Amino acid sequence: MALASVKGGAPANGRLKLMICDDSNIIRRKIERELQIDRLQVIATAANGRQAVEAFRKEPADVVTMDLTMPEMDGIECVENLVQMKPDVLILVISALADKATAIEALKKGANGFLCKPFTDRQLTEALQELLRGAGNDD
């Protein structure tokens, strides 16, 4: 069982704090390794929604990538919890569940964007940049 991981230290000036939540260690590492936006700094990773909520309580992130299908607490419930704690958090759902109903439900609960798995590094970067632009955090 993977544990939530909170990275030490506050982000440098002007950087937004990113939390990665996915039950796949491969996907968490891919997002962390391939992140190409200098304004984002990974502060935590979580393997399920419950771990994400715990990590978020310790240090709220500005941006979250969120899987939907996870053990213990799914992504939809986790999105609701995170938005209740910090209404302006930006959440990009990254899921293999590509049907419209799932995407709409995630957006209704407070997510800001949706990216289907599998995804390329470029698609991830573009989705995160669009999320930041939509929130007025573009460069």
Side-chain angles (χ1 to χ4, degrees):
M1 176 179 164
L3 299 174
S5 168
V6 177
K7 316 284 183 190
N13 290 341
R15 295 183 87 181
L16 299 172
K17 297 180 283 185
L18 173 68
M19 179 169 65
I20 301 166
C21 184
D22 199 300
D23 62 339
S24 166
N25 186 44
I26 293 169
I27 296 295
R28 289 194 309 273
R29 288 185 184 270
K30 174 180 173 60
I31 294 170
E32 191 170 13
R33 187 182 59 243
E34 302 301 331
L35 187 64
Q36 298 175 5
I37 300 175
D38 291 338
R39 294 196 56 218
L40 293 176
Q41 179 178 359
V42 178
I43 61 160
T45 60
N48 62 57
R50 188 171 316 283
Q51 291 175 0
V53 169
E54 290 172 12
F56 198 85
R57 279 194 184 111
K58 291 178 185 170
E59 185 169 2
D62 302 302
V63 180
V64 176
T65 64
M66 178 68 63
D67 188 14
L68 291 181
T69 306
M70 297 182 290
E72 297 189 40
M73 179 190 293
D74 68 26
I76 296 289
E77 185 178 352
C78 186
V79 166
E80 280 186 284
N81 279 280
L82 300 185
V83 170
Q84 285 176 356
M85 286 189 272
K86 186 177 179 181
D88 63 344
V89 64
L90 299 174
I91 301 174
L92 176 65
V93 172
I94 301 176
S95 177
L97 300 176
D99 65 282
K100 265 187 181 178
T102 302
I104 289 170
E105 183 180 2
L107 295 172
K108 282 183 178 177
K109 300 294 184 182
N112 308 90
F114 196 96
L115 179 63
C116 294
K117 292 179 184 174
F119 57 88
T120 66
D121 299 342
R122 182 177 170 188
Q123 289 170 323
L124 174 64
T125 298
E126 289 175 357
L128 286 169
Q129 286 174 333
E130 186 175 323
L131 196 75
L132 295 174
R133 272 195 301 273
N137 289 312
D138 55 341
D139 289 328

